[in-house]
Amino acid sequence: MKRTFVLIVILLCISSLFSFAQSEIIATNFSSPELSDAVEASGKWHVEDGSLVQEDTEEAMAIWSYPVKQKGIMLYQFDLKYIDGGEDDFAGFGLHIGVDKPAKKRSWGNGKSVLLWLTYDPDQYGSPGFFAQIYTSNANSKMGLNPEIHNSRNPLKDGDEYPIPELYLKEEYIESTIPVKMIIDLNTGIGKLYDPLDSSYYYSFYIGQEDIEGDYVSLRTNSLAVAIDNVMIKPAE
């Protein structure tokens, strides 16, 4: 059962700011290039044509964080579009939730947080190449696979436990904007992940931790250029 949970929670991640520091809401379509409260630890992040863009396909640990308080039941929602990267069979995208103190420079971990991650590394893991992973970050230098979800904390050893089904890997999807929507109860670690192909359907999942709180969320890429738009992060109604 835990294999189904972790597979589904990461799956959809393949798929002007009206807020202040420590706000409880982010609601933005990036109509303004001013992101004064953002923490850009690494990568090349900027606002372009109404989207937040990370353009550096050479950066393996690009992290961008923004303050939003998280507690209880939270909605995490945004649109994701692929731009470039992955031609060398190596790429990744994910979302850190419940971040206490975000990294301010290039780092492996990202404060105390949970990372929902999609990796593309067929050389390391084999077919189909795309695999779902959930990491626990304990500090900027300490992060590993969540042992409640995976067999160990070692991504090189157990990072291939949850392959992405071919249903979601059709070539035509690479040109699509993927709607990502998750509702997560941070008290229980249980959430709902909405299917990007049918928004009336959702999967229940578990993130491997409970009683989570945080002051930031972080977007993260590995050797991948992406555009993010229509972000909504707030307490779920």
Side-chain angles (χ1 to χ4, degrees):
M1 183 63 69
K2 72 176 184 178
R3 290 177 180 269
T4 300
F5 285 160
V6 69
L7 172 63
I8 297 304
V9 70
I10 304 295
L11 181 61
L12 301 188
C13 287
I14 188 167
S15 49
S16 55
L17 289 182
F18 303 107
S19 60
F20 301 91
Q22 306 310 314
S23 171
E24 293 186 353
I25 296 176
I26 296 178
T28 178
N29 59 6
F30 294 105
S31 59
S32 169
E34 297 300 323
L35 300 169
S36 59
D37 292 325
V39 180
E40 183 179 325
S42 50
K44 296 179 181 178
W45 302 85
H46 64 278
V47 173
E48 179 180 327
D49 297 329
S51 296
L52 176 66
V53 174
Q54 199 298 110
E55 64 174 306
D56 190 350
T57 59
E58 302 297 320
E59 176 56 70
M61 293 184 286
I63 303 175
W64 182 93
S65 303
Y66 203 85
V68 57
K69 279 192 172 295
Q70 298 150 84
K71 183 178 181 180
I73 303 174
M74 296 293 299
L75 168 69
Y76 300 91
Q77 182 172 328
F78 56 91
D79 292 338
L80 174 68
K81 186 173 178 59
Y82 167 85
I83 297 176
D84 195 10
E87 289 86 354
D88 57 352
D89 288 343
F90 188 65
F93 174 83
L95 178 71
H96 285 270
I97 64 172
V99 185
D100 64 342
K101 297 177 181 179
K104 295 184 178 180
K105 60 181 181 181
R106 190 176 190 270
S107 61
W108 168 242
N110 188 33
K112 292 183 178 179
S113 63
V114 175
L115 172 60
L116 311 179
W117 185 248
L118 176 73
T119 188
Y120 177 61
D121 192 352
D123 291 341
Q124 174 66 37
Y125 299 126
S127 181
F130 288 93
F131 294 85
Q133 301 169 343
I134 291 186
Y135 288 80
T136 298
S137 175
N138 296 312
N140 291 350
S141 61
K142 296 178 63 178
M143 185 171 72
L145 296 178
N146 188 311
E148 294 294 320
I149 302 297
H150 299 270
N151 289 328
S152 78
R153 292 179 58 84
N154 185 347
L156 297 181
K157 179 176 180 292
D158 292 309
D160 60 349
E161 294 176 288
Y162 308 107
I164 302 302
E166 292 186 4
L167 169 66
Y168 295 92
L169 301 179
K170 296 180 179 180
E171 187 174 350
E172 58 263 33
Y173 293 162
I174 200 165
E175 300 295 332
S176 301
T177 296
I178 307 299
V180 179
K181 180 180 179 182
M182 298 180 287
I183 295 177
I184 304 175
D185 186 338
L186 299 179
N187 295 325
T188 65
I190 300 294
K192 298 176 181 178
L193 184 74
Y194 290 80
D195 191 322
L197 303 180
D198 181 359
S199 60
S200 67
Y201 187 82
Y202 67 83
Y203 300 89
S204 295
F205 62 90
Y206 178 54
I207 61 174
Q209 287 184 241
E210 302 170 7
D211 299 320
I212 299 168
E213 296 185 17
D215 293 324
Y216 286 79
V217 294
S218 303
L219 297 164
R220 183 178 187 126
T221 67
N222 179 350
S223 307
L224 193 68
V226 296
I228 298 100
D229 201 357
N230 298 318
V231 176
M232 178 69 72
I233 300 175
K234 66 176 186 176
E237 298 177 354

